[in-house]
Amino acid sequence: MGQLPFQVVVMLKKYFSTLPWFDSLVITGFRKGSLIVDYTVQVLSSFNINQLKNITDHLDSTTLIIKGLVTINITNEQPVDIGSTATVTCTTQGGLGAVTWSLTNAQNKTTVITYGTEANLSSQALIDTVTLRNISAIWKGLFTCEYTIGSIKLTASETLDIALLPDIQGSINPQFPDCTDPNQKVHVVIQCAISNNLENYNISWNSSANLHDLTQQPTEYNGDKIYHKAEATIECGYGDESLSTTCTFTNTRSQTNKSSSMTVNIPIIQKNSSFCDTQDKWPKTKGNYTAVLPCDNSAVGNRSRTCNNTMWQEEILNCVDTSLNKLYNDILKIGKGLGFIVENADSFFKRLQISTTFQSIKAFANIDATVQILDSMNSVSEVQSHQWNDTIMPDFVSAISNILNDTKYWKQTSNDNATNLSIKYLQSVENMMNNSNLSTTSYVNRSNVVLKVCNSSDCNFFNVSVKTEQNVSVVVVAFRKLATNLPQTLNNESVESEGIILSVTEVNRTDYTNLKMNFNDGQIRKPNHQMFCVYWDENQSEWSSEGCTWGGADNPTLCTCTHNSAFTIMMSKTAESLPYMDKLTYVGLGISMVSLVLCILIEIMVWDTVVKSNIANFRHIALVNISVCLLFAYCAFLASAKPEQILPNWCMILTVVKQFCFLAAFFWMLCLSFVLLHQLIFVFEKLRKRVYLALSITVGYACPLLCVAVTVIQYGNGKEGEYYSIETCWLIYQSTLKGSLFAFILPVGTVVVLNMFALFVVITKIATPVVSEAKARDEKDVAKSIIKTIVLLSPILGITWILGFFVFTLDLTQKPYAQIVNYAFTILNSLQGFFILLSNCFGEKKVREALLKRFRAKKSVNSKSEHSTKDTSLKK
């Protein structure tokens, strides 16, 4: 380039005329915008490059393009076949440095050639080579190799001609010819559509024997598509279920790969065929076949709908938005080796962000295409050793957030699951992060995805916080709405998660670090449900908890992991259970029921002998009522052992019976403890029998009845799901102090606490005897009396039920304490009836003596009877 006026041209000639064999300097054109011209220097023989470099050093803003010093050669005979291999070489005279390869296509667009799936660059001695494998149509054009030395460019160009073959799309109209009338003839039009690539093909048609009068129709052009059609006749009388036609496109310029074919099948609806009738735009379709329609709004792909015998199935949309399809194809070109991802990254992600903002993203095919685009871009980036930086992150995060707006579109049909697509999405994002070089201040916040670089301080994402140790920086990507589409199993156990997924990648480190993550979803954990801190294991394609620890019931939101991946917290769908717990319960209740029946019978047998005073009367009345109430409660409990086999009405009745009988037993225990306290505190004031009986009946039965009635009325008049659970036939726990269960827990808790106070008073009385007794009793006797009192009174006062409050407060995930308490509670309380028999029947001296006396008297009577019988026999 040079400036006018004339003296500048004179100056150029002055410098270039120093070259050997200089011939001329000619002005070739003017540029707009200033006094700038192009010029050409012609030299008649070879010269030294360094001589040119010395000249250009004296000329500012001068670029010399030299042709003839570099030789380019395409080693293959042209045109080359599509799908074959070709080699383009450039030979130099040495000392020209690195080469730049480019391709200029028919639209005069020039693109740099690099490494890819179809291109490979190599250099050896004075020869630089581009090797093309499995050639596609994108390589048809002008190849140029260029060497640059300062402002000097040495180039050579050669055109590669490729004999193209078309991608064929076949269709038929009508899609399913109707031959339900065997006497009729049906005319069909077969269509083979190809892209307009300017090749001149020979087209031939081949058809089944019973497809008659096959006639080629005029070719139609629509945009960049060419439609080749043929018309034929089907004679229904032959009864064919299916016929076919093949269109073949032959390129005579090809050497070996000369033709491409498409066979169009023609399913025929016969008289006995099942079919789906016309519906909206869908044609009458033969049973167990799929009807296909083109996409609306110029989208790429098709719509399909299967006819299952005579029932239409859901429509499947394989329609990809045009902008997404074009973006995908542009990325594929770079992947094949035509262009650099670094030069296109910003525009690609901007286009992706815009495409995912449109309403069209509400389709499975578009979401799937978006994930494929992400995967392809990252693959190309890795091949070209390019790392993503901060500039593309806003558009990238916007795009991956947009497609999470409504995850119901991640399912292609209602019968499909979105698991595979979600896994591919998550892995694509993780691969992007592993191939990124972000600054420590990177932060992008979108509605469904947040990206942030975190260090040792807490980072908050939605309802999750992350903290690293050792001052390690990590890139964290948090996802909403993704968890529901990922697998809901862990080690073949069903789990559930609707929370946040975290993808964690270390910055500039390769070793592991400890991560502490707080998932607030852990706060909604159901009682006794195990939580799992898990990561996505790409090798096994499943969730794994290896290397991750849950904070436990005391800290249910905490997850600590020793490695990086995609993390979340999950909850088991089934509550923790203890082995043999049901068997222990049923065996214990069986023993207790037998024991209570024996206890009641014994009371009947020894009543007249043992009950001699008001105090004894009070105690034994309470004992009998406690035994009867517990016996009925146990019967109702066993009757509801399998709720799934019980009618809902009976489930409600059994719940009422259990609540009333257990409460009645505890209120009678309260009456018994009241008698003990009165006897100890008011020694000289006797309790009247009539007063005690009235008070005991009121407290023992009226109070439980009132509690049950209020509970039933309060909770929907005994409504299932409010008052009782159909799954357990028992009261419902919702949360702290919420739920019908507390109408049982609070009265029982109050009674147990009062009974423990009564027991404490009794023990205190034993431990501090009056002066007259103190000398006669030593410490061992006192200790024995205390132990005996605890053993005798604990079962009848329900003291062992205090363990129930620990069972209620302890979570079964708190091992081993919860297991120990649960087993102790189950064993002690299922055997309560047995302990009552031992302590209050066999353990009471008067009862034992009365039983022995009764049995001895019976034995004596039997003995006298036998004597009398023998004497009578002897007399006879």
Side-chain angles (χ1 to χ4, degrees), residues 720-772:
E720 188 271 321
E722 293 186 22
Y723 171 67
Y724 72 99
S725 169
I726 194 69
E727 297 175 355
T728 60
C729 285
W730 185 230
L731 305 174
I732 293 176
Y733 170 81
Q734 293 176 337
S735 61
T736 305
L737 296 179
K738 289 185 179 180
S740 58
L741 183 60
F742 286 95
F744 177 79
I745 291 176
L746 294 178
V748 169
T750 303
V751 171
V752 171
V753 170
L754 293 175
N755 287 353
M756 288 184 67
F757 173 73
L759 182 62
F760 174 76
V761 172
V762 172
I763 293 172
T764 303
K765 181 67 176 178
I766 295 173
T768 55
V770 295
V771 178
S772 59

Coordinates of all heavy atoms in Angstrom, one line a residue, residues 720-772:
E720 N -59.6 -39.7 58.7 CA -58.3 -40.3 58.3 C -57.4 -39.3 57.8 O -57.7 -38.4 57.0 CB -58.6 -41.4 57.2 CG -57.4 -42.3 56.9 CD -56.5 -41.7 55.8 OE1 -57.1 -41.2 54.8 OE2 -55.3 -41.8 55.9
G721 N -56.1 -39.4 58.2 CA -55.1 -38.4 57.8 C -55.0 -37.2 58.8 O -54.0 -36.5 58.8
E722 N -56.0 -37.0 59.6 CA -56.0 -36.0 60.6 C -56.0 -36.6 62.0 O -55.1 -36.3 62.8 CB -57.2 -35.0 60.5 CG -57.2 -34.2 59.2 CD -58.3 -33.2 59.2 OE1 -58.8 -32.9 60.3 OE2 -58.7 -32.8 58.1
Y723 N -56.9 -37.5 62.3 CA -57.0 -38.1 63.6 C -56.1 -39.3 63.7 O -55.3 -39.6 64.6 CB -58.4 -38.5 64.0 CG -58.5 -39.3 65.2 CD1 -58.2 -38.8 66.5 CD2 -58.9 -40.6 65.2 CE1 -58.3 -39.6 67.6 CE2 -59.0 -41.4 66.3 CZ -58.7 -40.9 67.5 OH -58.8 -41.7 68.6
Y724 N -56.2 -40.2 62.7 CA -55.4 -41.4 62.6 C -54.8 -41.6 61.3 O -55.2 -41.0 60.3 CB -56.3 -42.6 63.0 CG -57.3 -43.0 61.9 CD1 -57.0 -44.0 61.1 CD2 -58.5 -42.3 61.8 CE1 -57.9 -44.4 60.1 CE2 -59.4 -42.6 60.8 CZ -59.1 -43.7 59.9 OH -60.0 -44.0 58.9
S725 N -53.8 -42.5 61.2 CA -53.1 -42.8 60.0 C -53.6 -44.2 59.5 O -53.6 -45.2 60.3 CB -51.6 -42.8 60.1 OG -51.0 -43.4 59.0
I726 N -54.0 -44.3 58.3 CA -54.4 -45.6 57.7 C -53.3 -46.6 57.6 O -53.5 -47.8 57.5 CB -55.1 -45.4 56.3 CG1 -55.9 -46.6 55.9 CG2 -54.0 -45.0 55.3 CD1 -57.1 -46.9 56.6
E727 N -52.0 -46.1 57.6 CA -50.9 -46.9 57.5 C -50.5 -47.6 58.8 O -49.8 -48.6 58.8 CB -49.7 -46.1 56.9 CG -49.9 -45.5 55.5 CD -48.8 -44.7 55.1 OE1 -47.9 -44.4 55.9 OE2 -48.8 -44.2 53.9
T728 N -50.8 -47.0 59.9 CA -50.4 -47.5 61.2 C -51.6 -47.8 62.1 O -51.4 -48.5 63.2 CB -49.5 -46.5 61.9 OG1 -50.2 -45.3 62.1 CG2 -48.2 -46.3 61.1
C729 N -52.8 -47.3 61.8 CA -54.0 -47.4 62.7 C -53.6 -46.9 64.1 O -53.9 -47.5 65.1 CB -54.4 -48.9 62.8 SG -55.3 -49.5 61.4
W730 N -53.0 -45.7 64.1 CA -52.6 -45.0 65.3 C -52.6 -43.5 65.1 O -52.8 -43.1 63.9 CB -51.3 -45.5 65.8 CG -50.8 -45.0 67.1 CD1 -49.6 -44.5 67.4 CD2 -51.6 -45.0 68.4 NE1 -49.5 -44.1 68.7 CE2 -50.7 -44.5 69.4 CE3 -52.8 -45.4 68.7 CZ2 -51.1 -44.3 70.7 CZ3 -53.2 -45.3 70.0 CH2 -52.4 -44.7 71.0
L731 N -52.5 -42.8 66.1 CA -52.5 -41.3 66.1 C -51.4 -40.8 65.2 O -50.4 -41.5 65.0 CB -52.5 -40.8 67.5 CG -53.6 -41.3 68.4 CD1 -53.4 -40.7 69.8 CD2 -55.0 -40.9 67.9
I732 N -51.5 -39.5 64.8 CA -50.6 -39.0 63.8 C -49.7 -38.0 64.5 O -50.1 -37.1 65.3 CB -51.4 -38.3 62.7 CG1 -52.1 -39.3 61.9 CG2 -50.4 -37.5 61.8 CD1 -53.0 -38.7 60.8
Y733 N -48.4 -38.1 64.1 CA -47.4 -37.1 64.5 C -47.1 -36.2 63.3 O -46.7 -36.7 62.3 CB -46.1 -37.8 65.0 CG -45.0 -36.8 65.2 CD1 -44.9 -36.0 66.4 CD2 -44.0 -36.6 64.2 CE1 -43.8 -35.1 66.6 CE2 -42.9 -35.7 64.4 CZ -42.9 -35.0 65.6 OH -41.8 -34.1 65.8
Q734 N -47.2 -34.9 63.5 CA -46.9 -34.0 62.4 C -45.6 -33.2 62.7 O -44.7 -33.2 61.9 CB -48.0 -32.9 62.2 CG -49.3 -33.6 61.7 CD -50.4 -32.6 61.7 OE1 -50.4 -31.6 62.4 NE2 -51.4 -32.9 60.9
S735 N -45.5 -32.6 63.8 CA -44.2 -31.9 64.2 C -44.4 -31.7 65.7 O -45.3 -32.1 66.4 CB -44.0 -30.6 63.4 OG -45.1 -29.7 63.7
T736 N -43.4 -30.9 66.3 CA -43.4 -30.7 67.7 C -44.8 -30.0 68.1 O -45.1 -29.0 67.6 CB -42.3 -29.8 68.1 OG1 -41.1 -30.4 67.7 CG2 -42.2 -29.6 69.6
L737 N -45.5 -30.7 69.0 CA -46.7 -30.3 69.6 C -47.8 -30.1 68.5 O -48.8 -29.4 68.7 CB -46.6 -29.0 70.4 CG -45.7 -29.0 71.6 CD1 -45.6 -27.7 72.3 CD2 -46.2 -30.1 72.6
K738 N -47.6 -30.8 67.4 CA -48.7 -30.8 66.3 C -49.0 -32.2 66.0 O -48.1 -33.0 65.7 CB -48.1 -30.0 65.1 CG -48.1 -28.5 65.3 CD -47.7 -27.8 64.0 CE -47.6 -26.3 64.2 NZ -47.2 -25.6 62.9
G739 N -50.3 -32.5 65.9 CA -50.7 -33.8 65.6 C -51.5 -34.5 66.7 O -51.3 -34.1 67.9
S740 N -52.4 -35.4 66.4 CA -53.2 -36.0 67.4 C -52.5 -36.9 68.4 O -53.0 -37.2 69.4 CB -54.3 -36.9 66.6 OG -53.6 -37.9 65.8
L741 N -51.2 -37.3 68.0 CA -50.5 -38.1 68.9 C -50.2 -37.4 70.3 O -50.1 -38.1 71.3 CB -49.1 -38.5 68.3 CG -48.2 -39.4 69.0 CD1 -48.9 -40.7 69.3 CD2 -46.9 -39.6 68.3
F742 N -50.2 -36.1 70.2 CA -49.9 -35.4 71.5 C -51.1 -35.4 72.5 O -50.9 -35.1 73.6 CB -49.5 -33.9 71.2 CG -48.1 -33.8 70.6 CD1 -47.9 -33.8 69.3 CD2 -47.0 -33.9 71.5 CE1 -46.6 -33.7 68.7 CE2 -45.7 -33.8 70.9 CZ -45.5 -33.7 69.6
A743 N -52.3 -35.7 72.0 CA -53.4 -36.0 72.8 C -53.2 -37.2 73.7 O -54.0 -37.5 74.6 CB -54.7 -36.0 72.0
F744 N -52.3 -38.1 73.3 CA -51.9 -39.2 74.0 C -50.6 -39.0 74.9 O -50.6 -39.4 76.0 CB -51.7 -40.4 73.1 CG -51.3 -41.7 73.8 CD1 -52.2 -42.5 74.4 CD2 -49.9 -42.1 73.7 CE1 -51.8 -43.7 75.1 CE2 -49.5 -43.3 74.4 CZ -50.5 -44.0 75.0
I745 N -49.7 -38.4 74.2 CA -48.4 -38.2 74.9 C -48.5 -37.3 76.1 O -47.9 -37.6 77.2 CB -47.3 -37.6 73.9 CG1 -47.0 -38.7 72.8 CG2 -46.1 -37.2 74.6 CD1 -46.1 -38.2 71.7
L746 N -49.2 -36.2 76.0 CA -49.2 -35.2 77.1 C -49.9 -35.8 78.3 O -49.3 -35.7 79.5 CB -49.9 -33.9 76.6 CG -49.1 -33.1 75.6 CD1 -49.9 -31.9 75.2 CD2 -47.8 -32.7 76.1
P747 N -51.1 -36.5 78.2 CA -51.6 -37.1 79.4 C -50.8 -38.2 80.0 O -50.6 -38.2 81.2 CB -53.0 -37.6 79.0 CG -53.3 -36.9 77.7 CD -52.0 -36.6 77.1
V748 N -50.2 -39.0 79.2 CA -49.4 -40.1 79.6 C -48.1 -39.6 80.3 O -47.7 -40.0 81.4 CB -49.0 -41.1 78.5 CG1 -47.9 -42.0 78.9 CG2 -50.2 -41.8 78.0
G749 N -47.5 -38.5 79.7 CA -46.4 -37.9 80.3 C -46.6 -37.3 81.6 O -45.8 -37.5 82.6
T750 N -47.8 -36.7 81.8 CA -48.2 -36.1 83.1 C -48.3 -37.2 84.1 O -47.8 -37.0 85.3 CB -49.5 -35.3 82.9 OG1 -49.3 -34.3 81.9 CG2 -49.8 -34.6 84.2
V751 N -49.0 -38.3 83.8 CA -49.2 -39.4 84.7 C -47.9 -40.0 85.1 O -47.6 -40.3 86.3 CB -50.2 -40.4 84.1 CG1 -50.2 -41.7 85.0 CG2 -51.6 -39.9 83.9
V752 N -47.0 -40.3 84.2 CA -45.7 -40.9 84.5 C -44.9 -40.0 85.4 O -44.3 -40.5 86.3 CB -45.0 -41.2 83.1 CG1 -43.5 -41.7 83.4 CG2 -45.7 -42.3 82.3
V753 N -44.9 -38.7 85.1 CA -44.1 -37.8 86.0 C -44.7 -37.8 87.4 O -43.9 -37.9 88.4 CB -44.2 -36.4 85.4 CG1 -43.6 -35.4 86.4 CG2 -43.4 -36.3 84.1
L754 N -46.0 -37.8 87.6 CA -46.6 -37.8 88.9 C -46.4 -39.1 89.6 O -46.1 -39.2 90.8 CB -48.1 -37.6 88.8 CG -48.6 -36.1 88.3 CD1 -50.1 -36.1 88.1 CD2 -48.1 -35.1 89.3
N755 N -46.4 -40.2 88.8 CA -46.1 -41.5 89.4 C -44.7 -41.6 89.9 O -44.3 -42.3 90.9 CB -46.5 -42.6 88.4 CG -48.0 -42.8 88.3 OD1 -48.8 -42.2 89.0 ND2 -48.4 -43.6 87.3
M756 N -43.8 -41.0 89.0 CA -42.4 -41.0 89.5 C -42.2 -40.2 90.7 O -41.4 -40.6 91.6 CB -41.5 -40.4 88.3 CG -41.3 -41.3 87.1 SD -40.2 -40.6 85.9 CE -38.7 -40.7 86.8
F757 N -42.9 -39.1 90.9 CA -42.9 -38.4 92.1 C -43.3 -39.2 93.3 O -42.7 -39.2 94.4 CB -43.7 -37.1 92.0 CG -43.9 -36.3 93.3 CD1 -42.8 -35.6 93.8 CD2 -45.1 -36.4 94.0 CE1 -42.9 -34.9 94.9 CE2 -45.2 -35.7 95.2 CZ -44.1 -34.9 95.7
A758 N -44.4 -39.9 93.1 CA -44.9 -40.8 94.2 C -43.9 -41.9 94.5 O -43.7 -42.2 95.7 CB -46.2 -41.5 93.7
L759 N -43.3 -42.5 93.5 CA -42.2 -43.5 93.8 C -41.1 -42.8 94.5 O -40.5 -43.5 95.4 CB -41.8 -44.1 92.4 CG -40.7 -45.2 92.5 CD1 -41.2 -46.4 93.3 CD2 -40.3 -45.6 91.1
F760 N -40.7 -41.6 94.1 CA -39.6 -40.9 94.8 C -40.0 -40.7 96.3 O -39.1 -40.8 97.2 CB -39.4 -39.6 94.1 CG -38.4 -38.7 94.8 CD1 -37.0 -39.0 94.8 CD2 -38.8 -37.6 95.6 CE1 -36.1 -38.1 95.4 CE2 -37.9 -36.8 96.3 CZ -36.5 -37.1 96.2
V761 N -41.2 -40.3 96.6 CA -41.6 -40.1 98.0 C -41.5 -41.4 98.8 O -41.1 -41.5 99.9 CB -43.1 -39.6 98.0 CG1 -43.6 -39.5 99.5 CG2 -43.1 -38.2 97.4
V762 N -42.0 -42.5 98.1 CA -41.9 -43.8 98.8 C -40.4 -44.2 99.1 O -40.1 -44.6 100.2 CB -42.6 -44.9 97.9 CG1 -42.3 -46.3 98.5 CG2 -44.0 -44.6 97.8
I763 N -39.6 -44.0 98.1 CA -38.2 -44.3 98.3 C -37.5 -43.4 99.4 O -36.8 -43.9 100.2 CB -37.4 -44.2 97.0 CG1 -37.9 -45.2 95.9 CG2 -35.9 -44.3 97.2 CD1 -37.3 -45.0 94.6
T764 N -37.9 -42.2 99.4 CA -37.4 -41.2 100.4 C -37.9 -41.7 101.8 O -37.1 -41.6 102.8 CB -37.9 -39.8 100.1 OG1 -37.5 -39.4 98.8 CG2 -37.3 -38.8 101.1
K765 N -39.1 -42.1 101.9 CA -39.6 -42.6 103.2 C -38.8 -43.8 103.6 O -38.5 -44.0 104.8 CB -41.1 -43.0 103.0 CG -41.8 -43.5 104.3 CD -41.9 -42.4 105.3 CE -42.6 -42.9 106.5 NZ -42.7 -41.9 107.6
I766 N -38.5 -44.7 102.7 CA -37.8 -45.9 103.1 C -36.3 -45.6 103.5 O -35.8 -46.1 104.4 CB -37.7 -46.9 101.9 CG1 -39.2 -47.4 101.6 CG2 -36.8 -48.1 102.2 CD1 -39.3 -48.3 100.4
A767 N -35.8 -44.6 102.7 CA -34.4 -44.3 103.0 C -34.2 -43.4 104.3 O -33.1 -43.4 104.8 CB -33.8 -43.4 101.8
T768 N -35.2 -42.8 104.8 CA -35.1 -42.0 106.0 C -36.2 -42.5 107.0 O -37.2 -41.9 107.2 CB -35.4 -40.5 105.7 OG1 -36.7 -40.4 105.1 CG2 -34.3 -40.0 104.8
P769 N -35.9 -43.7 107.6 CA -36.9 -44.3 108.6 C -37.0 -43.5 109.8 O -36.1 -42.7 110.1 CB -36.3 -45.7 108.8 CG -34.9 -45.5 108.6 CD -34.7 -44.5 107.5
V770 N -38.0 -43.7 110.6 CA -38.2 -43.1 111.9 C -37.1 -43.6 112.8 O -36.5 -44.6 112.6 CB -39.6 -43.3 112.5 CG1 -40.6 -42.7 111.6 CG2 -39.8 -44.8 112.6
V771 N -36.9 -42.8 113.9 CA -35.8 -43.1 114.9 C -35.9 -44.6 115.4 O -34.9 -45.3 115.6 CB -35.8 -42.1 116.0 CG1 -34.7 -42.5 117.0 CG2 -35.6 -40.7 115.5
S772 N -37.1 -45.0 115.7 CA -37.3 -46.3 116.3 C -36.9 -47.4 115.3 O -36.5 -48.5 115.8 CB -38.8 -46.5 116.7 OG -39.7 -46.3 115.6

